[in-house]
Amino acid sequence: MAATPESSLEDPLRSFVRRSVLELGSGTGAVGLMAATLGADVVVTDLEELQDLLKMNINMNKHLVTGSVQAKGGRNRRLSFSTRLYTDGRLHIL
């Protein structure tokens, strides 16, 4: 079966479905939000000063999200890789 332009575009997009994504230094969270709209379960992280911006952007775009997205981080918050942050305990994309 020959690949069509449609099938070659669909495969990369479907590769995010049910994947666990951790975005470090997310800034506005745009990359993580895009992954979440494609079906990934995403944790976006950044400094305390950017937490309000991240949460606002998540809230403004939640109607587009087909996976999940949450903001974590801050000065007094350490991300622990021994903690199960993800649905199946594995990190797929960093």
Side-chain angles (χ1 to χ4, degrees), residues 8-34:
S8 63
L9 286 176
E10 288 175 356
D11 291 341
L13 299 181
R14 288 185 182 153
S15 67
F16 282 91
V17 175
R18 291 181 287 154
R19 297 291 183 181
S20 296
V21 176
L22 174 62
E23 184 183 6
L24 302 173
S26 302
T28 62
V31 173
L33 279 165
M34 179 53 74

Side-chain angles (χ1 to χ4, degrees), residues 10-64:
E10 288 175 356
D11 291 341
L13 299 181
R14 288 185 182 153
S15 67
F16 282 91
V17 175
R18 291 181 287 154
R19 297 291 183 181
S20 296
V21 176
L22 174 62
E23 184 183 6
L24 302 173
S26 302
T28 62
V31 173
L33 279 165
M34 179 53 74
T37 64
L38 296 174
D41 297 316
V42 181
V43 175
V44 291
T45 67
D46 214 312
L47 299 173
E48 183 177 353
E49 296 84 18
L50 294 173
Q51 291 301 301
D52 289 340
L53 176 62
L54 280 170
K55 290 173 183 172
M56 180 185 73
N57 286 340
I58 290 169
N59 190 48
M60 290 177 65
N61 292 285
K62 64 184 174 188
H63 65 285
L64 301 171

